[in-house]
Amino acid sequence: MRNAFEAHRPVSCPVDEWQARCELAGAYRLFAQLGWHELIYNHITARVPGTEHFLINPFGLMYREVTASNLLKIDLDGSKIDPSPYSANPAGFVVHSAVHAARHDVACVMHTHTTAGQVVACQRDGLLPLSFTSVFYTGRVAYHDFEGITLEREESQRLAADLGSKNVMILRNHGLLVCGASIADAFADHYLLQRACEVQIAAQATGAALIQPSDDIATHAAEQFDLSARKGDQNRMLFDAMLRWTWELNADFCR
């Protein structure tokens, strides 16, 4: 996809930044197609390579309207770097700036209010190691207690501290937050976390007695997944395939 993206790059935009813009815009389109959006709310952000700036969706646009060129570039104080008729949602800035400021290893942050994610976020025990997918997250999920709408900068430090070095966090009574060293890594983790939440609430809804793997087996499965996907090239392969899919449906996100 890099060559396809490059063909649409404005001469004023650096190559690496344009690649990040196209991948991020593609991720927004994928979230729209998969039903992971919250109308004009929620956010996916990506760090501009080599800088402390990050890209965020223009507040007021649907995910299906996000393009590489209309993404906002802002700094850690929420100020726009380039002129734009749009602004960033303050709640999104507080959540995402907290992670980008604290975690220099993170290139992308995704936050959603999916139904399954919110249901699990409302459960006292959070994500349970029940399914094939959920065991991938054994010992790898952080939790942050609900403090209201994320509009206050003071919450940023607490949110970042609760996340620590993990890449997945459940915001209690709120939703899901996933980050990664690349947009591909964050997308793959969000997909699998979302699936784990969907299966958990579906299994619970049956009312049947549930079988939970032993702690040793769940831990072993998570370690296997670390080696096979998180430290391999599967996340990149998956995201490239998904970008090809959304490109075939509508390539106008790369403009």
Side-chain angles (χ1 to χ4, degrees):
M1 294 302 300
R2 179 177 286 272
N3 290 338
F5 295 159
E6 176 63 18
H8 296 268
R9 180 175 64 88
V11 294
S12 60
C13 187
V15 173
D16 287 348
E17 179 177 335
W18 185 248
Q19 176 73 14
R21 283 178 172 273
C22 288
E23 288 195 7
L24 184 58
Y28 273 105
R29 299 303 182 95
L30 287 168
F31 272 47
Q33 289 158 211
L34 294 167
W36 295 345
H37 61 88
E38 184 85 323
L39 304 178
I40 63 170
Y41 302 100
N42 290 158
H43 314 84
I44 315 169
T45 57
R47 190 185 300 276
V48 177
T51 76
E52 289 297 302
H53 304 148
F54 61 94
L55 304 168
I56 192 169
N57 52 315
F59 191 31
L61 297 187
M62 299 285 286
Y63 279 19
R64 61 181 174 80
E65 297 178 290
V66 173
T67 67
S69 59
N70 69 24
L71 286 161
L72 296 178
K73 189 191 325 187
I74 63 176
D75 63 21
L76 293 174
D77 293 320
S79 301
K80 288 186 282 189
I81 303 303
D82 298 326
S84 173
Y86 301 104
S87 60
N89 182 353
F93 164 73
V94 168
V95 172
H96 290 255
S97 64
V99 181
H100 284 293
R103 293 280 301 276
H104 297 289
D105 60 315
V106 164
C108 179
V109 182
M110 299 177 169
H111 170 49
T112 57
H113 290 171
T114 63
T115 299
Q118 288 196 77
V119 170
V120 172
C122 292
Q123 296 184 358
R124 183 194 61 193
D125 295 328
L127 186 69
L128 301 172
L130 287 171
S131 67
F132 177 78
T133 307
S134 65
V135 294
F136 299 161
Y137 295 97
T138 305
R140 287 154 178 78
V141 180
Y143 291 87
H144 176 67
D145 287 340
F146 186 61
E147 298 188 28
I149 301 174
T150 50
L151 294 172
E152 299 168 6
R153 292 294 300 271
E154 292 76 13
E155 187 179 354
S156 294
Q157 292 183 347
R158 293 187 291 274
L159 191 151
D162 286 338
L163 178 64
S165 61
K166 292 183 170 66
N167 286 341
V168 169
M169 184 157 69
I170 292 178
L171 307 174
R172 294 194 184 278
N173 310 102
H174 186 168
L176 306 178
L177 186 146
V178 174
C179 59
S182 67
I183 298 173
D185 287 334
F187 179 87
D189 255 334
H190 186 278
Y191 174 82
L192 292 170
L193 180 63
Q194 171 67 17
R195 287 282 291 151
C197 290
E198 291 172 350
V199 173
Q200 177 169 317
I201 64 174
Q204 291 169 328
T206 66
L210 302 179
I211 300 173
Q212 188 164 311
S214 69
D215 291 344
D216 287 345
I217 292 297
T219 299
H220 177 59
E223 291 170 349
Q224 287 179 309
F225 188 72
D226 281 346
L227 293 173
S228 64
R230 293 191 178 105
K231 295 179 181 178
D233 58 2
Q234 290 185 32
N235 288 349
R236 185 72 250 178
M237 291 168 59
L238 169 65
F239 189 59
D240 284 347
M242 296 301 289
L243 285 176
R244 290 194 300 272
W245 178 50
T246 198
W247 180 272
E248 291 167 0
L249 293 175
N250 193 341
D252 75 338
F253 69 87
C254 190
R255 59 174 172 83

